[in-house]
Amino acid sequence: MSTANETYPADGRPQERLRVRGVVLPSEEWAEFWIANGRLTREPLPGATTVVDGGWLLPGLVDAHTHPGALRPGDPLDPALLRRHGRKHLAAGVTLLRVPGSAGRLPAWFGTEPDQPRVVSAGRWLGLPGMFYDGWARHVGADELADAAVEEARASGGWCKVYADWVVGEEGLEAPPLPAGLLAELTRRVHAVGGRVAVHAQTEHGARAAVEAGVDSLEHGLGLDPALLDRMARRRTALVPTFTVWETFEQVARASGSDRFRAWFRAVHARLGPLVSAAHEAGVTVLAGTDSYGTPELPHGRVAGEVRHLAAAPMPAAAAIGAASWTARSFLGFPGLGHDAPADLVAYDRDPRTDLAVLDRPARVIHRGRVIR
Ligand SMILES: [Zn+2]
């Protein structure tokens, strides 16, 4: 059905002209936008339907560390699951995902279809044999790792994801981390083709290798020496602490039956909040990532919980929200709310900075110019 109130975006589906207004974060400016063809405009559009009238407008939320599409280690990528997981994120106001590692190359429709968030992907998880799960990781030898990283970054259109260490039991504490020189060379190679490098590190040695290599993001960062934070800030290495997944890790530590592993985990976990707080103070870009897989313990669409963990670190509430919105978008190359920006936004009736629980109840989610809820 076609009416004068509709425009026709590239995918051919009719799209209504919309109007939203409210206080924009982070600028705190009162703004009014019209929406057509998936974009925001300041130019009034006659006949537009007002879908947000007051309240707070944020650029669409971002989960900077999530793994949709496969539940259990070794499972292949399941397209139906991928679609369901994408919708879960979107319903929660998450309009952009960074997927640092997946069970296979993500299909082109994921990240482009109207009912799916936008996606920044990193190809397969990459590690030396023994790092990360068999069947999920692309395990390659040390002499092939840089070539493989370049290949994954090229194929994914931007990022690759590399393991600097792997600790899910006592033996991981003894295993040697990825040699720092190798990670530095890999990073140079990926940067030379315009790619970016995300590095998993849970130990002091792994985190040090990542920071010294000048990678683009340090995932988890347990055990990171706070003395390296200034260097991270200078080299613009972001920190994605993934508090959400560590909440579930106490059970992993118990199940390991190793007192030593449990003691190690408790110690590094207890230091993570102060570390994140110090990272923010030092000017490191801290991002919200849940490390969700879609399991009952780690469901998708819960980035609001990660924001509350960041705020509890503590980080200022506005910075914690930015870590899951404007700061993350900027880090990944996406604009905030402004004229001609993509119409990806989330609206709240109350100011989420004064009550982070508000993030669980978006009044509106608009994605690619369409009302999602
Ligand atoms: Zn992960």
Side-chain angles (χ1 to χ4, degrees), residues 7-372:
T7 56
Y8 292 84
D11 69 4
R13 280 173 41 172
Q15 189 176 32
E16 228 182 336
R17 291 177 170 189
L18 306 175
R19 184 177 70 148
V20 298
R21 53 186 183 175
V23 177
V24 171
L25 293 182
S27 69
E28 300 188 308
E29 159 208 25
W30 168 268
E32 182 163 25
F33 294 106
W34 284 262
I35 298 172
N37 298 321
R39 305 196 84 80
L40 300 171
T41 173
R42 301 271 194 182
E43 311 277 327
L45 294 174
T49 307
T50 301
V51 290
V52 179
D53 197 2
W56 278 260
L57 302 177
L58 275 66
L61 300 184
V62 182
D63 190 333
H65 190 134
T66 178
H67 305 286
L71 293 177
R72 278 164 295 275
D75 282 359
L77 207 55
D78 175 344
L81 212 50
L82 198 56
R83 186 174 293 281
R84 201 166 346 129
H85 291 165
R87 284 182 179 154
K88 277 228 154 174
H89 278 294
L90 200 51
V94 178
T95 66
L96 174 62
L97 310 179
R98 189 185 59 149
V99 179
S102 46
R105 300 254 161 81
L106 295 171
W109 59 261
F110 186 64
T112 54
E113 291 203 347
D115 68 340
Q116 295 296 315
R118 297 179 202 273
V119 175
V120 171
S121 62
R124 299 271 309 271
W125 293 278
L126 273 176
L128 299 180
M131 290 185 183
F132 202 47
Y133 300 108
D134 287 339
W136 264 1
R138 178 178 168 195
H139 286 136
V140 297
D143 52 348
E144 299 163 275
L145 195 62
D147 284 344
V150 167
E151 198 177 294
E152 295 295 338
R154 278 196 165 131
S156 73
W159 286 77
C160 63
K161 163 73 176 293
V162 181
Y163 281 76
D165 54 32
W166 178 240
V167 190
V168 288
E170 191 175 307
E171 59 284 355
L173 296 171
E174 302 298 343
L178 194 65
L182 174 55
L183 191 53
E185 173 60 13
L186 178 154
T187 302
R188 270 193 297 276
R189 295 268 317 275
V190 172
H191 284 174
V193 298
R196 298 172 91 183
V197 182
V199 170
H200 168 113
Q202 292 169 271
T203 66
E204 185 177 349
H205 291 309
R208 180 177 299 278
V211 173
E212 287 179 353
V215 304
D216 299 282
S217 70
L218 175 59
E219 310 300 312
H220 315 306
L222 293 176
L224 170 67
D225 179 354
L228 293 171
L229 291 171
D230 286 338
R231 188 163 176 183
M232 278 181 81
R234 277 199 307 277
R235 303 200 65 174
R236 297 176 190 276
T237 301
L239 176 63
V240 193
T242 65
F243 283 101
T244 304
V245 75
W246 301 124
E247 288 290 292
T248 70
F249 215 67
E250 179 62 34
Q251 205 182 333
V252 175
R254 260 201 309 274
S256 76
S258 161
D259 288 343
R260 190 176 156 229
F261 175 59
R262 203 157 57 190
W264 166 81
F265 173 67
R266 285 189 177 156
V268 289
H269 191 213
R271 288 201 297 267
L272 189 59
L275 175 71
V276 167
S277 199
H280 173 71
E281 287 290 313
V284 173
T285 298
V286 175
L287 301 178
T290 57
D291 210 358
S292 52
Y293 285 85
T295 54
E297 305 79 41
L298 287 167
H300 292 297
R302 297 281 180 88
V303 81
E306 184 69 19
V307 170
R308 289 189 281 269
H309 280 300
L310 294 175
M315 264 172 76
I321 297 169
S325 178
W326 54 89
T327 305
R329 289 180 67 88
S330 168
F331 180 76
L332 295 171
F334 291 78
L337 300 180
H339 181 72
D340 207 33
D344 299 354
L345 66 90
V346 58
Y348 301 98
D349 292 331
R350 291 188 294 128
D351 186 347
R353 295 171 300 178
T354 58
D355 178 6
L356 292 169
V358 169
L359 293 171
D360 290 327
R361 294 180 299 278
R364 275 276 179 243
V365 176
I366 294 175
H367 181 51
R368 302 180 199 272
R370 289 190 172 86
V371 173
I372 301 295

